[in-house]
Amino acid sequence: MSQVDEIFKLIDREKARQAQTIELIASENFVSENCMKAAGSCLTNKYAEGYPGKRYYGGCDVVDEIESRCIDAWKQVFNTNYHVNVQPHSGSQANCAAYSAVIKPGDTVLSMSLDNGAHLTHGSSVNFSGKLYNMVFYGIDSRGYIDMEDVRRKALEFKPALIVTGASAYPRIIDFQAFRAIADEVGALLMTDMAHIAGLVATGRHPSPFEAGCDIITTTTHKTLRGPRGGLIFCKPELKKKIDSAIFPGNQGGPLEHIIAAKAIAAYEAMDPAYSDYIDRVISNCNTMANRFVDMGYDLVTGGTDNHLFLLDLTKSGVTGKVLQETLDLCRITLNKNCVPHETRSPQVTSGARIGTAAMTTRGMSSDGFLATAGVIDKVIKALQGSGISDEFIDARKSEVDEILNSTLTANG
Ligand code: DSN
């Protein structure tokens, strides 16, 4: 077998893994055939440094039209007159460009820390953000909610140039209006990273950072928005020039026009009424599954969820997030270990697990399927606490997973 064939064989293996697994990673989803087709198209051959109408290469009329349509479509999705740059290769690059557009190295940024649910690029010491900027962090209260009094106290004390909100593992509504009021009080710019909840914002199921007047709003397109892997940056019109030049030439070279075409398709899909129904099901499935864990006696960070994810706090059980993630992998259920507020274990181990419903809702899983999945996870946690994990135990759980997946696929034809 050639090395090329071996790569395709590995892709087939991954395809099978995805089909045979219950996917609960809150940041993952399954794109449509059309998104996949655009992402794998001939547009990958094209260099187009610059922006539509102002490129550094010839032959850009087609990609100019695709990128312009993508820009228009995303403004329609969020019903906004904000400027949007559709070129960020990722959410991290969107955040990097957003910072470099409006603040200088050494400036103070007020943000939430990684172990309380924020993203690496919100100031983690091992990330460019924590190395370049003077990061200060607001806290969460004893239940796990963002502590708005602490946000205000820290803002008044440290006078940040920029306040960052948004999260990767936060199960509740974020009050963007309250952040705006605090930013205004101390003369800071306000940036929201809505990567996780963008699909909920697009459909009106989460308050809008646009309506709250955030100066910059970044997102990825591959989480609840169900598009290709990539990023977007929205900004108030007066920041357009700074944001565009921070992306190109500041942080990136040639845009990925094949991904931009797929982003355009994801935007059109997000405007279809069926997408609103989908987001409603994501939220209600999440709530159903979270409540089942509460009924079974588990602790959830904040006690529940308002969005597409929830956080199991396993501290009382003595089981670590790492061991749970690895054991569930053997049973073909995928999730990720996650820090819980006031975490005592390292991020490699953790005392929690993050569970999201966006991906399996796309695959058509019903509330019954999510309830049954919660039952399988409960059996695994109990076995880890007690009798241990045998090959027979794993095989029994895999059969349950197959049964859940089969009834999901049968129900969806
Ligand atoms: N790493 C991503 C997540 O899993 O939430 C955030 O970009």
Side-chain angles (χ1 to χ4, degrees):
M1 188 185 290
S2 74
Q3 287 170 313
V4 170
D5 287 341
E6 280 170 11
I7 293 293
F8 280 110
K9 206 171 159 206
L10 285 167
I11 293 174
D12 284 344
R13 253 179 69 191
E14 172 58 13
K15 196 172 172 187
R17 187 199 67 79
Q18 291 183 13
Q20 292 160 8
T21 299
I22 295 179
E23 178 52 71
L24 299 175
I25 293 178
S27 47
E28 293 192 6
N29 215 322
F30 296 98
V31 296
S32 67
E33 286 293 323
N34 283 335
C35 261
M36 196 72 94
K37 213 158 126 188
S41 72
C42 66
L43 296 169
T44 195
N45 299 333
K46 187 70 196 106
Y47 244 120
E49 280 179 15
Y51 290 103
K54 280 182 263 162
R55 305 281 191 183
Y56 287 81
Y57 292 83
C60 284
D61 11 336
V62 175
V63 291
D64 272 6
E65 192 167 337
I66 290 171
E67 192 166 328
S68 300
R69 286 179 187 229
C70 184
I71 288 167
D72 290 345
W74 281 109
K75 287 185 185 182
Q76 284 173 46
V77 168
F78 291 101
N79 189 24
T80 183
N81 65 356
Y82 275 46
H83 168 63
V84 58
N85 185 309
V86 298
Q87 292 191 359
H89 299 338
S90 71
S92 293
Q93 276 174 283
N95 288 349
C96 184
Y99 297 150
S100 66
V102 294
I103 53 174
K104 299 182 304 302
D107 279 353
T108 299
V109 179
L110 177 60
S111 177
M112 184 157 80
S113 66
L114 183 68
D115 51 349
N116 282 341
H119 188 248
L120 269 177
T121 55
H122 299 180
S124 164
S125 60
V126 295
N127 181 259
F128 76 88
S129 52
K131 294 181 201 291
L132 283 184
Y133 305 108
N134 175 36
M135 301 300 308
V136 284
F137 297 104
Y138 49 83
I140 47 174
D141 65 20
S142 54
R143 296 168 309 157
Y145 283 81
I146 294 173
D147 181 348
M148 292 311 297
E149 280 179 25
D150 193 50
V151 178
R152 181 164 181 267
R153 207 165 32 241
K154 299 261 170 63
L156 289 167
E157 181 181 350
F158 294 104
K159 297 280 185 296
L162 178 71
I163 298 178
V164 178
T165 181
S168 291
Y170 188 69
R172 295 298 185 178
I173 297 287
I174 298 178
D175 187 348
F176 298 126
Q177 301 277 2
F179 272 98
R180 180 73 267 176
I182 294 168
D184 287 344
E185 192 177 353
V186 299
L189 287 166
L190 179 61
M191 172 178 144
T192 294
D193 175 348
M194 64 169 182
H196 265 266
I197 53 165
L200 284 66
V201 171
T203 52
R205 275 35 164 217
H206 188 290
S208 165
F210 296 93
E211 279 168 26
C214 291
D215 299 286
I216 301 175
I217 300 163
T218 60
T219 185
T220 52
T221 39
H222 51 270
K223 298 185 176 87
T224 48
L225 283 177
R226 207 164 55 176
R229 191 159 290 277
L232 303 172
I233 306 184
F234 295 86
C235 63
K236 287 185 170 170
E238 59 270 28
L239 293 174
K240 171 182 189 314
K241 204 158 173 260
K242 285 184 174 172
I243 289 290
D244 283 353
S245 46
I247 280 288
F248 174 82
N251 278 273
Q252 295 184 176
L256 309 177
E257 292 295 342
H258 53 307
I259 297 300
I260 289 173
K263 285 174 182 171
I265 288 167
Y268 298 135
E269 290 173 356
M271 285 187 272
D272 190 311
Y275 179 77
S276 279
D277 296 343
Y278 159 71
I279 291 291
D280 282 345
R281 285 197 306 280
V282 169
I283 297 168
S284 97
N285 286 334
C286 197
N287 210 39
T288 301
M289 196 179 186
N291 286 339
R292 173 54 60 94
F293 277 103
V294 171
D295 292 345
M296 291 190 294
Y298 287 92
D299 290 334
L300 265 53
V301 174
T302 76
T305 176
D306 297 327
N307 58 26
H308 64 299
L309 67 84
F310 62 93
L311 291 163
L312 268 185
D313 182 342
L314 299 166
T315 309
K316 262 185 358 203
S317 74
V319 174
T320 66
K322 175 179 160 54
V323 166
L324 179 62
Q325 176 189 308
E326 289 171 355
T327 314
L328 286 174
D329 259 343
L330 300 174
C331 306
R332 287 197 263 106
I333 294 179
T334 313
L335 49 62
N336 65 281
K337 60 183 178 242
N338 213 94
C339 291
V340 295
H342 316 294
E343 179 63 75
T344 52
R345 294 186 166 109
S346 90
Q348 290 299 337
V349 180
T350 81
S351 308
R354 186 181 66 163
I355 294 180
T357 51
M360 290 315 293
T361 301
T362 293
R363 289 191 67 191
M365 190 182 266
S366 66
S367 56
D368 284 346
F370 283 101
L371 290 172
T373 304
V376 180
I377 296 173
D378 172 55
K379 284 182 194 165
V380 170
I381 295 171
K382 293 215 164 77
L384 286 168
Q385 285 178 296
S387 52
I389 305 290
S390 62
D391 287 349
E392 293 70 37
F393 176 87
I394 297 289
D395 286 344
R397 301 295 79 71
K398 281 203 289 206
S399 300
E400 288 168 354
V401 165
D402 283 341
E403 219 171 284
I404 295 168
L405 286 173
N406 283 341
S407 53
T408 293
L409 295 179
T410 312
N412 291 285

